[in-house]
Amino acid sequence: MYNPTVARLTYRALLGRRRALILFLLPGMLLLIAAAVRAFNGADDQVAADVLGGFALATMVPLIGVIAGTGAIGPEIDDGSIVYLLSKPVKRSAIIFTKLIVAIAVTMVFSAVPTFIAGFILNGNGQQVAVAYTVAALVASIAYSALFLLLGTISRHAVVIGLVYALVWEALFGSLIEGARTLSVQQWALALAEKVTGDGLITSEVGLTTAVVLLSAVTIVATWFAGFKLRTLKLAGEE
């Protein structure tokens, strides 16, 4: 299912263009914020949780997911170069699976790793805050990558839709409207972070079992549907 050639082309598309600047910019901002907070406020577990939850998980992870997920396939569909790839003897399900793996890897590296480092800067991983939010970033990376890869497959406006979801639904509605929190990847990921700390420092609106089921279901369904849409894409209909 994993095709090295497709993976290499996808990595090149994600890391060799201007979007790579944003991939580096967001983690850099997180580390600068963490260093400034530690310098002015000292080590504080609650402050560390607030920074990692408010910026890393609520903003940085979904935005990087948008960049990696939509960028893994969207530009190829938009400019028509996907036709070249689809004309090769490679299963379309393998194309989607490979691009998903690449998107997940990129999202994890640029979100989970800086989250872990920022957690140590903020409070030295006191009460396992750094580990908890790193786990949350890792699982959220998988779900976001699948969702935004699907968007890149079905819509030419995937980036805009992804940004609306990440910034409006997750960051705004998810923090203000109780019902919206249940349908939030961020809250599902927080359920696992809550399990790691286990002392009330991190809380989620969703139970652990429900979160695991929803994260798995969204990832599987989004990946399957993206593969289905790519399989039904006709070469003759491409621009």
Side-chain angles (χ1 to χ4, degrees):
M1 291 293 290
Y2 182 83
N3 187 287
T5 301
V6 175
R8 185 175 65 255
L9 293 173
T10 306
Y11 276 119
R12 185 182 302 170
L14 289 177
L15 302 177
R17 298 180 181 180
R18 285 180 295 179
R19 64 171 55 88
L21 295 176
I22 303 177
L23 288 174
F24 282 100
L25 178 63
L26 290 170
M29 290 177 60
L30 173 62
L31 296 179
L32 286 175
I33 291 171
V37 170
R38 178 62 184 266
F40 288 104
N41 197 70
D44 186 292
D45 295 339
Q46 186 59 61
V47 171
D50 291 341
V51 171
L52 295 180
F55 183 81
L57 189 61
T59 303
M60 184 183 72
V61 179
L63 287 180
I64 291 177
V66 170
I67 297 168
T70 61
I73 195 169
E76 291 177 290
I77 294 178
D78 290 343
D79 63 20
S81 61
I82 191 69
V83 174
Y84 172 80
L85 185 58
L86 296 180
S87 65
K88 300 300 179 180
V90 181
K91 291 183 178 180
R92 300 191 182 193
S93 58
I95 295 174
I96 287 294
F97 181 77
T98 301
K99 288 183 174 294
L100 175 63
I101 295 300
V102 172
I104 290 173
V106 170
T107 306
M108 284 183 172
V109 168
F110 285 94
S111 62
V113 173
T115 296
F116 183 72
I117 297 172
F120 266 89
I121 293 174
L122 286 163
N123 74 334
N125 195 38
Q127 298 194 59
Q128 298 292 306
V129 170
V131 172
Y133 276 104
T134 299
V135 170
L138 287 171
V139 297
S141 296
I142 299 173
Y144 282 132
S145 296
L147 278 173
F148 297 134
L149 180 67
L150 171 61
L151 278 178
T153 305
I154 65 177
S155 175
R156 292 183 179 272
H157 307 290
V159 174
V160 175
I161 298 173
L163 289 175
V164 169
Y165 175 83
L167 298 178
V168 178
W169 182 267
E170 290 275 4
L172 182 59
F173 289 169
S175 62
L176 299 177
I177 303 175
E178 184 175 351
R181 298 171 189 168
T182 306
L183 301 176
S184 167
V185 174
Q186 176 188 342
Q187 291 296 323
W188 304 342
L190 279 174
L192 279 82
E194 181 181 8
K195 180 66 175 180
V196 174
T197 56
D199 62 355
L201 187 64
I202 301 174
T203 59
S204 173
E205 299 292 329
V206 182
L208 179 60
T209 301
T210 302
V212 171
V213 170
L214 289 173
L215 283 167
S216 302
V218 165
T219 302
I220 293 170
V221 171
T223 304
W224 174 84
F225 194 58
F228 171 78
K229 293 299 292 183
L230 196 63
R231 286 194 301 271
T232 58
L233 188 65
K234 299 182 182 302
L235 294 178
E238 293 292 332
E239 296 177 357

